[in-house]
Short mmCIF file of all heavy atoms in Angstrom, two decimals:
data_model
loop_
_atom_site.label_atom_id
_atom_site.label_comp_id
_atom_site.label_asym_id
_atom_site.label_seq_id
_atom_site.Cartn_x
_atom_site.Cartn_y
_atom_site.Cartn_z
N ASN A 279 143.83 79.88 80.53
CA ASN A 279 143.63 80.62 79.28
C ASN A 279 144.96 81.10 78.69
O ASN A 279 145.03 82.18 78.12
CB ASN A 279 142.70 81.82 79.49
CG ASN A 279 141.29 81.41 79.88
OD1 ASN A 279 140.86 80.29 79.59
ND2 ASN A 279 140.58 82.29 80.55
N GLN A 281 147.58 82.11 80.20
CA GLN A 281 148.27 83.14 80.98
C GLN A 281 148.63 82.63 82.36
O GLN A 281 147.83 81.94 83.00
CB GLN A 281 147.35 84.36 81.17
CG GLN A 281 146.82 84.96 79.88
CD GLN A 281 145.67 85.94 80.13
OE1 GLN A 281 144.82 85.71 80.99
NE2 GLN A 281 145.66 87.02 79.37
N CYS A 286 145.87 89.39 92.26
CA CYS A 286 145.74 90.84 92.40
C CYS A 286 147.05 91.50 92.80
O CYS A 286 147.23 92.69 92.62
CB CYS A 286 144.64 91.19 93.40
SG CYS A 286 145.07 90.91 95.12
N ASP A 287 148.00 90.71 93.33
CA ASP A 287 149.21 91.29 93.91
C ASP A 287 150.50 90.77 93.29
O ASP A 287 151.59 91.20 93.67
CB ASP A 287 149.24 91.02 95.42
CG ASP A 287 149.14 89.52 95.73
OD1 ASP A 287 148.94 88.73 94.78
OD2 ASP A 287 149.26 89.16 96.91
N GLY A 291 149.35 81.57 93.24
CA GLY A 291 150.00 80.30 92.90
C GLY A 291 150.92 79.80 93.98
O GLY A 291 152.04 79.37 93.71
N GLU A 292 150.46 79.84 95.23
CA GLU A 292 151.26 79.31 96.35
C GLU A 292 150.65 77.98 96.81
O GLU A 292 150.30 77.81 97.98
CB GLU A 292 151.31 80.32 97.49
CG GLU A 292 152.26 81.47 97.25
CD GLU A 292 153.74 81.05 97.25
OE1 GLU A 292 154.06 79.91 97.65
OE2 GLU A 292 154.57 81.88 96.83
N ILE A 297 146.24 73.80 102.81
CA ILE A 297 146.28 72.95 104.01
C ILE A 297 145.76 71.55 103.67
O ILE A 297 144.62 71.39 103.23
CB ILE A 297 145.43 73.56 105.15
CG1 ILE A 297 145.87 75.00 105.44
CG2 ILE A 297 145.52 72.69 106.41
CD1 ILE A 297 147.29 75.16 105.91
N ARG A 299 146.29 68.81 105.96
CA ARG A 299 145.93 68.14 107.21
C ARG A 299 145.55 69.22 108.22
O ARG A 299 146.41 69.95 108.71
CB ARG A 299 147.11 67.30 107.74
CG ARG A 299 147.46 66.09 106.87
CD ARG A 299 146.34 65.04 106.87
NE ARG A 299 146.65 63.92 105.98
CZ ARG A 299 146.21 63.84 104.71
NH1 ARG A 299 145.47 64.79 104.19
NH2 ARG A 299 146.51 62.78 103.97
N ARG A 300 144.25 69.32 108.49
CA ARG A 300 143.78 70.38 109.38
C ARG A 300 143.87 70.00 110.85
O ARG A 300 143.76 70.84 111.72
CB ARG A 300 142.35 70.78 109.02
CG ARG A 300 142.30 71.41 107.65
CD ARG A 300 140.96 71.94 107.25
NE ARG A 300 141.01 72.27 105.83
CZ ARG A 300 141.46 73.42 105.34
NH1 ARG A 300 141.85 74.37 106.13
NH2 ARG A 300 141.50 73.60 104.04
N ARG A 310 152.43 78.09 109.79
CA ARG A 310 151.15 77.42 110.00
C ARG A 310 151.38 75.90 110.05
O ARG A 310 152.52 75.44 110.02
CB ARG A 310 150.18 77.81 108.87
CG ARG A 310 150.03 79.34 108.77
CD ARG A 310 149.13 79.75 107.61
NE ARG A 310 149.59 79.11 106.39
CZ ARG A 310 148.80 78.86 105.35
NH1 ARG A 310 147.53 79.20 105.37
NH2 ARG A 310 149.28 78.29 104.27
N GLU A 377 145.69 63.76 96.18
CA GLU A 377 144.58 64.41 96.90
C GLU A 377 144.57 65.91 96.60
O GLU A 377 143.52 66.51 96.37
CB GLU A 377 144.76 64.26 98.42
CG GLU A 377 144.37 62.95 99.02
CD GLU A 377 144.53 63.00 100.55
OE1 GLU A 377 143.66 63.56 101.23
OE2 GLU A 377 145.57 62.50 101.05
N ASP A 381 141.76 68.60 94.48
CA ASP A 381 141.21 69.92 94.85
C ASP A 381 141.56 70.97 93.80
O ASP A 381 140.74 71.83 93.47
CB ASP A 381 141.75 70.36 96.22
CG ASP A 381 140.96 69.75 97.38
OD1 ASP A 381 139.94 69.09 97.14
OD2 ASP A 381 141.39 69.92 98.53
N ALA A 384 139.26 70.97 90.90
CA ALA A 384 137.97 71.63 91.16
C ALA A 384 138.09 73.13 90.99
O ALA A 384 137.11 73.82 90.75
CB ALA A 384 137.48 71.30 92.58
N PHE A 385 139.30 73.65 91.10
CA PHE A 385 139.51 75.08 90.90
C PHE A 385 139.57 75.41 89.40
O PHE A 385 138.73 76.10 88.87
CB PHE A 385 140.80 75.52 91.60
CG PHE A 385 140.82 76.98 91.93
CD1 PHE A 385 140.57 77.42 93.22
CD2 PHE A 385 141.08 77.93 90.96
CE1 PHE A 385 140.57 78.78 93.53
CE2 PHE A 385 141.08 79.28 91.25
CZ PHE A 385 140.83 79.71 92.54
N SER A 387 140.30 73.08 86.60
CA SER A 387 140.16 72.00 85.60
C SER A 387 141.25 72.05 84.52
O SER A 387 140.97 72.30 83.35
CB SER A 387 138.77 72.03 84.96
OG SER A 387 138.61 70.87 84.18
N HIS A 415 140.42 60.35 94.39
CA HIS A 415 139.92 61.50 95.14
C HIS A 415 139.20 62.56 94.30
O HIS A 415 138.51 63.40 94.85
CB HIS A 415 141.07 62.17 95.90
CG HIS A 415 141.61 61.34 97.02
ND1 HIS A 415 142.78 60.64 96.92
CD2 HIS A 415 141.11 61.05 98.24
CE1 HIS A 415 143.01 59.98 98.05
NE2 HIS A 415 142.01 60.21 98.87
N LYS A 423 140.26 63.43 83.17
CA LYS A 423 140.64 64.50 82.24
C LYS A 423 142.12 64.86 82.23
O LYS A 423 142.72 64.89 81.17
CB LYS A 423 139.76 65.73 82.48
CG LYS A 423 138.39 65.51 81.83
CD LYS A 423 137.44 66.64 82.05
CE LYS A 423 136.07 66.27 81.45
NZ LYS A 423 134.98 67.03 82.03
N ASN B 357 142.21 87.72 85.77
CA ASN B 357 142.53 88.61 84.65
C ASN B 357 141.27 89.06 83.90
O ASN B 357 141.29 89.17 82.67
CB ASN B 357 143.50 87.94 83.68
CG ASN B 357 144.85 87.66 84.32
OD1 ASN B 357 145.22 88.31 85.29
ND2 ASN B 357 145.58 86.71 83.78
N GLN B 359 138.60 87.40 83.31
CA GLN B 359 137.91 86.33 82.59
C GLN B 359 137.41 85.26 83.57
O GLN B 359 138.13 84.87 84.49
CB GLN B 359 138.88 85.65 81.61
CG GLN B 359 139.52 86.60 80.62
CD GLN B 359 140.70 85.96 79.91
OE1 GLN B 359 141.48 85.21 80.47
NE2 GLN B 359 140.81 86.26 78.62
N CYS B 364 139.81 73.43 81.11
CA CYS B 364 139.99 72.76 79.83
C CYS B 364 138.69 72.20 79.28
O CYS B 364 138.58 71.94 78.09
CB CYS B 364 141.05 71.65 79.95
SG CYS B 364 140.48 70.18 80.81
N ASP B 365 137.66 72.05 80.14
CA ASP B 365 136.44 71.36 79.72
C ASP B 365 135.17 72.19 79.89
O ASP B 365 134.08 71.72 79.55
CB ASP B 365 136.29 70.06 80.52
CG ASP B 365 136.28 70.31 82.03
OD1 ASP B 365 136.51 71.48 82.44
OD2 ASP B 365 136.07 69.35 82.79
N GLY B 369 135.89 75.59 88.49
CA GLY B 369 135.19 76.40 89.49
C GLY B 369 134.17 75.63 90.28
O GLY B 369 133.05 76.08 90.49
N GLU B 370 134.54 74.45 90.74
CA GLU B 370 133.62 73.65 91.60
C GLU B 370 134.13 73.69 93.03
O GLU B 370 134.40 72.65 93.65
CB GLU B 370 133.54 72.21 91.07
CG GLU B 370 132.67 72.05 89.85
CD GLU B 370 131.18 72.29 90.12
OE1 GLU B 370 130.79 72.38 91.30
OE2 GLU B 370 130.43 72.40 89.14
N ILE B 375 137.91 69.44 99.42
CA ILE B 375 137.73 68.65 100.65
C ILE B 375 138.20 69.46 101.85
O ILE B 375 139.36 69.87 101.92
CB ILE B 375 138.51 67.32 100.56
CG1 ILE B 375 138.13 66.55 99.30
CG2 ILE B 375 138.27 66.48 101.83
CD1 ILE B 375 136.69 66.11 99.22
N ARG B 377 137.36 68.36 105.19
CA ARG B 377 137.60 67.44 106.30
C ARG B 377 137.96 66.09 105.70
O ARG B 377 137.10 65.40 105.15
CB ARG B 377 136.35 67.33 107.19
CG ARG B 377 136.01 68.59 107.97
CD ARG B 377 137.06 68.93 109.04
NE ARG B 377 136.79 70.21 109.72
CZ ARG B 377 137.31 71.38 109.35
NH1 ARG B 377 138.13 71.48 108.31
NH2 ARG B 377 137.03 72.48 110.04
N ARG B 378 139.25 65.73 105.80
CA ARG B 378 139.70 64.49 105.16
C ARG B 378 139.48 63.28 106.05
O ARG B 378 139.59 62.15 105.60
CB ARG B 378 141.17 64.60 104.76
CG ARG B 378 141.36 65.65 103.70
CD ARG B 378 142.74 65.76 103.15
NE ARG B 378 142.80 66.97 102.33
CZ ARG B 378 142.46 67.03 101.05
NH1 ARG B 378 142.07 65.95 100.42
NH2 ARG B 378 142.51 68.17 100.39
N ARG B 388 131.44 61.69 97.57
CA ARG B 388 132.66 61.69 98.36
C ARG B 388 132.35 62.22 99.77
O ARG B 388 131.19 62.46 100.10
CB ARG B 388 133.72 62.54 97.65
CG ARG B 388 133.97 62.06 96.19
CD ARG B 388 134.98 62.93 95.47
NE ARG B 388 134.59 64.33 95.57
CZ ARG B 388 135.41 65.35 95.47
NH1 ARG B 388 136.69 65.13 95.24
NH2 ARG B 388 134.98 66.58 95.58
N GLU B 455 138.43 79.28 106.35
CA GLU B 455 139.52 78.32 106.09
C GLU B 455 139.63 78.03 104.59
O GLU B 455 140.71 77.97 104.02
CB GLU B 455 139.22 76.97 106.77
CG GLU B 455 139.51 76.88 108.23
CD GLU B 455 139.24 75.45 108.73
OE1 GLU B 455 140.10 74.57 108.53
OE2 GLU B 455 138.17 75.22 109.31
N ASP B 459 142.72 78.87 101.51
CA ASP B 459 143.29 78.02 100.46
C ASP B 459 143.07 78.61 99.07
O ASP B 459 143.96 78.57 98.22
CB ASP B 459 142.68 76.62 100.52
CG ASP B 459 143.35 75.73 101.56
OD1 ASP B 459 144.36 76.15 102.16
OD2 ASP B 459 142.86 74.61 101.78
N ALA B 462 145.58 81.19 98.17
CA ALA B 462 146.87 80.64 97.76
C ALA B 462 146.84 80.25 96.28
O ALA B 462 147.87 80.17 95.62
CB ALA B 462 147.24 79.43 98.61
N PHE B 463 145.67 80.02 95.75
CA PHE B 463 145.55 79.68 94.33
C PHE B 463 145.60 80.97 93.48
O PHE B 463 146.51 81.15 92.70
CB PHE B 463 144.23 78.93 94.09
CG PHE B 463 144.25 78.08 92.86
CD1 PHE B 463 144.44 76.71 92.95
CD2 PHE B 463 144.11 78.64 91.61
CE1 PHE B 463 144.49 75.93 91.81
CE2 PHE B 463 144.16 77.87 90.46
CZ PHE B 463 144.34 76.50 90.56
N SER B 465 144.96 84.47 94.58
CA SER B 465 145.11 85.77 95.21
C SER B 465 144.11 86.81 94.70
O SER B 465 144.50 87.79 94.06
CB SER B 465 146.54 86.29 95.05
OG SER B 465 146.73 87.44 95.84
N HIS B 493 143.66 81.95 109.23
CA HIS B 493 144.16 80.80 108.47
C HIS B 493 144.99 81.16 107.24
O HIS B 493 145.67 80.29 106.70
CB HIS B 493 142.99 79.91 108.04
CG HIS B 493 142.33 79.22 109.19
ND1 HIS B 493 141.14 79.63 109.73
CD2 HIS B 493 142.72 78.15 109.93
CE1 HIS B 493 140.80 78.84 110.73
NE2 HIS B 493 141.74 77.94 110.90
N LYS B 501 144.78 91.21 102.26
CA LYS B 501 144.51 91.70 100.91
C LYS B 501 143.06 91.64 100.45
O LYS B 501 142.53 92.64 99.98
CB LYS B 501 145.43 90.98 99.92
CG LYS B 501 146.84 91.58 99.99
CD LYS B 501 147.83 90.91 99.08
CE LYS B 501 149.21 91.53 99.29
NZ LYS B 501 150.29 90.64 98.86
#
Side-chain angles (χ1 to χ4, degrees):
Chain A
N279 295 336
Q281 304 166 321
C286 74
D287 56 355
E292 283 292 349
I297 305 298
R299 293 294 177 265
R300 294 185 191 275
R310 305 177 308 155
E377 280 183 79
D381 278 353
F385 203 102
S387 189
H415 292 103
K423 282 178 184 158
Chain B
N357 295 337
Q359 304 166 322
C364 75
D365 56 354
E370 283 292 350
I375 305 297
R377 292 293 175 266
R378 295 185 190 274
R388 304 178 308 155
E455 280 184 80
D459 278 353
F463 204 101
S465 189
H493 292 103
K501 282 178 183 158

